[in-house]
Amino acid sequence: MAGNRKSKEETEKNEEKKEGGLDARPDGKVRWTKNMREALAKFNDRPCGRCGGSLSEERSLADSLDFFRRHRSSFYPPRAARLRMLEMHGAAAAELLFEPSPHKEAVTDLLAIHDAEVVRFFVAQVKQIDCKNALMKQAARWPLFVLRELLSANPARHQAGAALILELLAANPEWQEPLEASCDEAQRKTLARLQEDGSAGVADALAADWPALLRRPPWKNRQALPVIPVLALQPLPPTARLHWADLKPPQYLQATGDLSDWLAREVRVSRDRSNQWMTEFTRHQPDAPDAIREGGNLHKALWMLGLRPELIDDVIAGRNEITSPEDFGQLPGSRWGVAEYIWQLPPPLAVAAFTHGPAVDHFMGDVARVRPILHALGTDALPGLPRFLKQGSRAMFELASVIEWDPLASWIAKGFHTNRWVRREAAAWLERYPDTAARGLVPVALGEPGPAHESAQAALRWLHDNGHADAVRAQAQAYGAEAAGAVAQLLSIAPEDVLPDSLPVVPKTLPLPSLPRLILKEGGLALPQAVVPDVLMAMMLGKPDAPYPGLAPLLDALAPDSLARFGRALLAWWIGNGRPARERWMFALQGRLGDGETARQLYSLLRQWRAGLDRVRAYDAMAMLGEIGSDAALMHLAELARQTRYDDLRTRADRMLGEVAEQRGLSLDQLADRTVPDLGLDARARLTLDFGPRSFEVRMDDSFQPVVHDARGKALKTLPKAGANDDAGKAAAAATQLKELRKLAKTVATTQIRRLEAAMCAQRRWGPDEFMPFFANHPVLRVFSRPLVWGLFDAADKLQGTFRVTAEGELADLHDDPVKLPENALIGLPHPLDFAALDASLVTAWAPVLADYEILQPFEQLARQSFVLDPALRAGRELPQWAGRAVSNAALMGLETRGWVREIGDGGMVNSFNKGVPGEGQVCLRLEEGWFVQDSPDGKVLQTVHGVALTGTERTLGDLPAIAFSEIERDLQRAVRETSA
């Protein structure tokens, strides 16, 4: 038996050797492993209770596969059943293991099947880390075959398949030439595209021209840093001030607009709630001692707050004081509502209970409970505050923004140094109260080593480097000469020289040679390959919101476009390798490195992550869009603010855009007008591509697709390859520029067309000083403005005249006569109802004018259906004609692109869709059933409409603006069927 087993193993090894070599291909056989045999032995082939058939019966492959799929739920264990099929039919049955996101066990079994279809399956699933690793193992067996299959998938540069191709070739450069020779034309083009580098032909910079950090990296010239003395300093008397006038109201109050005296109103509401709890004391606390139940409100409140019963009478009578936590015991009964009883105490007792009493869970991180207490009790209550502070609460940091108090500095420093979610708010506190912050931080920064010590030192360095060096020195001096000297010694250490004991390591599988070249701003030369690991080290040493101090000057010395390409390559590697936590810095730096193309990729990724419930990563990607801050990035944020599927994304995008708009003194709509990316186009919507001795011109056609023209103006199908006389570096950069323009053009077109249509329906108006630069003469929006008919409106918003934008950017009326805009003109996109109100023949008059110029409108304007409300329905709120009719799930989800928002009702069912109307209220489409919120609904399934009505307002349908009603009716006509489900 041992000899037979040995002979079998040797035979399999010999077969493996036959498969070896660069040109090897899978032979279509199954290499059974011991684990697979053990799993197969567990298969129990029981006959089907209905048809009597069994899996092991002799059938053709097609019949066996059909039988398996019809009975798959009855096979147990399912792996054993699949292996039985594999045993019967060989590699041809491998498709039973081809499932999206296969688990590791299935991947292991597939690796034992040496078949081309298995390779192709892994290629299709390469973004799954287990499948990517499986392809790497297969590439070790059949190098050129696996690479050709990856190339046949024609992956984009940022996709996992592209990253794997580059990784394999970087690790095995000897494969490059044989691969090129064995590829077909399409595969060769894909390979060339993936390996093209905008810096081709760029010479290496000399060491004297490198950024200072790379000439002498601190981690390669590590020296012992001065030892900062540990001092036991007593804190100085603190400053204690509350700046309530500077505190912004909560968002829910901002939404209602009722902001008058809001802090005092919070106190009144808290007192009223406390009084209500007191009236129900007996019902809530039936087990309270008789002395407490029969006592006054002070007895009840102190007992509920946990004061030891034997002290209650003396404290109330003033014979004793609350001086320490030992005066309190366990809280009686339920802790819910305990916080309300503090309002029954006079201020001195309330302060003592807040300071020394148990840290009631109900307070923890609940700013709405703590804020009115601080407002009512003032600075006397501050000593009790630290116990209730919560690092994870941004609202708590917002409350801290008005508290100027030395002991708060250490808590703020912790958030600043360790919590990326609140770093901005923490930095704002340090910036606002630099003297208070420094005075509170010096004793901690010079105290015993530990996390608080490190956070305090980091905050002091930041204050010193951000314009508050005098405050830091002055407060250190206030602690004495020894403390001042120690702080001076601390600050004398260059921030970039402060390194961790254990340095991070560049991932071994990161293909450094295939990363895009980094180009210097000055001189246009490239950093040599030898210094790329040092660039990566500077990136790895930082934290998401606290980059390594030496990184900023390094990045400033590099060309932004080369940095963005470099960053995207890192992002592709990170995603392709399963998003390892240790290498998260590759993702976290995209906001600092990225450009418009990075923003486009992040926008796509964050939507995928949010759909997969990966909220944290999606929120991080949103923050990076804000950090990139380009017009393209803000455009994507505006798209997230307009989408209706994910309330959390919409809320965050609104807040981020609101902050940008507030900084620029604009509304959100005005911000959107001003942040349309120009994509590098000139005023005529054209772009010159420079090849050195010759150049080409890109013109955007009416569908906003780039078309290349030669020097004589002849349209070309594609951009020519660089010739012998061309500048190779410029030609490669031009090809990259055109490729990125094609990608962004599609996204921009979709976004701006949707925005213009929404502007027509919302009846937005612009003055000439906005219309001409942001629409008629904008490199991008002029392309979309030209096919539309524009209108001049009076102060009553009535259409007075119409015009169009010509190809030359001029304005012309219906008869092609020039139009001059009055200074006080109000310009907008007329709706068909606007045309009808001025002249019923206007729409039919404009149509042939646009046809003569072969202009197609980007959305329905002239040909748009319009609807008028039935007079019989004006006094009501219901639209009865829609009840009982059928609507598909696909049509319902399509309504979300038109501004309708899904609502989740009882039991987690998506059972209605709402669309807001001007003023107040919304039109609600209610369903009989709907679907569960966590389901992925089948688009073909029909729902029954329960009803459509105006809700959330006292107004009737007759009060709605005519255009608002027409658009709602148009949406419903397109979505809801004529018949019942």
Side-chain angles (χ1 to χ4, degrees), residues 352-517:
F354 186 69
T355 303
H356 301 297
V360 182
D361 291 343
H362 198 41
F363 277 4
M364 299 299 284
D366 190 347
V367 172
R369 305 280 179 178
V370 174
R371 183 173 53 225
I373 291 175
L374 282 184
H375 188 251
L377 302 180
T379 57
D380 290 343
L382 287 178
L385 178 64
R387 300 181 304 142
F388 303 108
L389 295 174
K390 188 176 180 181
Q391 275 287 327
S393 169
R394 179 177 278 110
M396 193 64 82
F397 276 84
E398 291 171 355
L399 173 61
S401 69
V402 298
I403 303 174
E404 184 180 3
W405 188 50
D406 300 13
L408 196 60
S410 183
W411 181 76
I412 293 288
K414 180 181 178 182
F416 173 82
H417 187 57
T418 65
N419 188 345
R420 62 194 174 94
W421 298 106
V422 296
R423 181 177 169 84
R424 185 177 62 173
E425 287 80 5
W429 189 92
L430 296 171
E431 182 82 30
R432 184 174 186 185
Y433 310 118
D435 289 288
T436 299
R439 192 165 51 250
L441 290 172
V442 166
V444 185
L446 300 180
E448 292 293 332
H453 168 86
E454 293 177 6
S455 297
Q457 289 190 352
L460 279 179
R461 283 197 184 94
W462 186 88
L463 280 169
H464 182 271
D465 296 339
N466 284 270
H468 301 291
D470 291 343
V472 174
R473 283 193 293 266
Q475 296 305 323
Q477 189 64 50
Y479 282 94
E482 190 178 11
V487 169
Q489 196 172 16
L490 168 67
L491 299 175
S492 69
I493 301 171
E496 58 268 22
D497 289 338
V498 180
L499 301 172
D501 293 334
S502 178
L503 292 173
V505 179
V506 175
K508 291 181 180 179
T509 56
L510 180 65
L512 298 184
S514 70
L515 293 176
R517 303 290 300 280

Side-chain angles (χ1 to χ4, degrees), residues 643-663:
Q643 60 83 36
T644 59
R645 177 161 296 182
Y646 303 114
D647 288 343
D648 54 341
L649 296 188
R650 184 171 66 249
T651 301
R652 285 171 178 264
D654 274 337
R655 185 176 68 243
M656 294 171 69
L657 288 171
E659 290 171 356
V660 176
E662 185 178 357
Q663 291 168 5

Side-chain angles (χ1 to χ4, degrees), residues 30 40 66 75 106 251 351 364 578 628 664 693 704-705 709 775 798 811 905 952:
V30 181
L40 176 63
D66 178 66
F75 296 136
Q251 284 191 350
V351 167
M364 299 299 284
I628 291 172
R664 303 186 187 185
F704 204 62
Q705 290 301 306
H709 293 75
F775 293 90
K798 301 296 183 184
L811 310 183

Side-chain angles (χ1 to χ4, degrees), residues 38-313:
E38 290 174 350
L40 176 63
K42 298 177 182 178
F43 179 60
N44 182 8
D45 192 15
R46 290 174 296 184
C48 174
R50 294 183 178 179
C51 68
S54 66
L55 186 64
S56 296
E57 290 179 14
E58 189 171 336
R59 299 185 183 87
S60 68
L61 173 63
D63 288 343
S64 287
L65 290 173
D66 178 66
F67 183 86
F68 182 92
R69 290 181 176 120
R70 284 188 291 109
H71 296 78
R72 68 167 60 217
S73 61
S74 62
F75 296 136
Y76 186 82
R79 181 192 180 198
R82 292 189 180 94
L83 293 176
R84 174 61 180 142
M85 288 287 290
L86 202 62
E87 183 183 48
M88 293 166 58
H89 299 286
E95 64 180 87
L96 290 176
L97 284 80
F98 295 172
E99 295 182 352
S101 303
H103 52 78
K104 290 187 178 182
E105 198 173 59
V107 170
T108 301
D109 291 344
L110 283 168
L111 276 173
I113 306 172
H114 292 201
D115 188 74
E117 288 305 315
V118 175
V119 176
R120 294 181 185 116
F121 169 74
F122 283 143
V123 168
Q125 298 286 324
V126 66
K127 66 181 180 181
Q128 306 293 333
I129 185 61
D130 291 332
C131 294
K132 183 236 180 182
N133 291 337
L135 276 169
M136 294 186 74
K137 292 178 181 178
Q138 290 179 324
R141 291 189 183 119
W142 320 300
L144 300 188
F145 179 80
V146 171
L147 281 166
R148 287 195 299 268
E149 291 299 327
L150 284 164
L151 288 168
S152 295
N154 194 24
R157 182 71 184 259
H158 67 278
Q159 290 180 325
L164 180 55
I165 292 169
L166 297 176
E167 186 176 331
L168 288 170
L169 290 175
N172 304 276
E174 69 278 8
W175 293 356
Q176 178 80 29
E177 190 173 334
L179 176 63
E180 291 176 357
S182 68
C183 285
D184 60 29
E185 185 61 25
Q187 291 166 345
R188 270 193 292 273
K189 284 184 177 180
T190 299
L191 180 61
R193 173 175 59 78
L194 295 180
Q195 291 185 320
E196 70 182 0
D197 187 350
S199 61
V202 179
D204 285 351
L206 297 175
D209 297 324
W210 301 351
L213 184 75
L214 299 181
R215 293 199 299 271
R216 188 176 173 79
W219 45 88
K220 289 184 176 178
N221 303 278
R222 209 160 178 178
Q223 299 176 2
L225 300 178
V227 177
I228 309 300
V230 176
L231 304 178
L233 300 177
Q234 289 299 314
L236 296 173
T239 295
R241 299 190 188 97
L242 297 171
H243 305 274
W244 292 114
D246 300 329
L247 185 62
K248 290 183 178 180
Q251 284 191 350
Y252 75 91
L253 284 178
Q254 295 181 37
T256 63
D258 187 10
L259 305 179
S260 59
D261 202 21
W262 67 275
L263 281 165
R265 192 163 66 249
E266 271 196 340
V267 173
R268 288 197 299 273
V269 169
S270 297
R271 292 191 189 281
D272 291 344
R273 188 166 54 230
S274 177
N275 292 334
Q276 179 65 30
W277 277 91
M278 193 58 69
T279 60
E280 300 176 359
F281 179 86
T282 302
R283 181 166 65 87
H284 287 302
Q285 302 297 331
D287 298 329
D290 292 342
I292 298 299
R293 283 192 288 109
E294 294 169 4
N297 286 352
L298 287 181
H299 286 79
K300 296 181 176 69
L302 289 172
W303 183 78
M304 285 298 299
L305 290 167
L307 188 66
R308 287 162 49 196
E310 66 270 20
L311 298 178
I312 291 177
D313 285 336

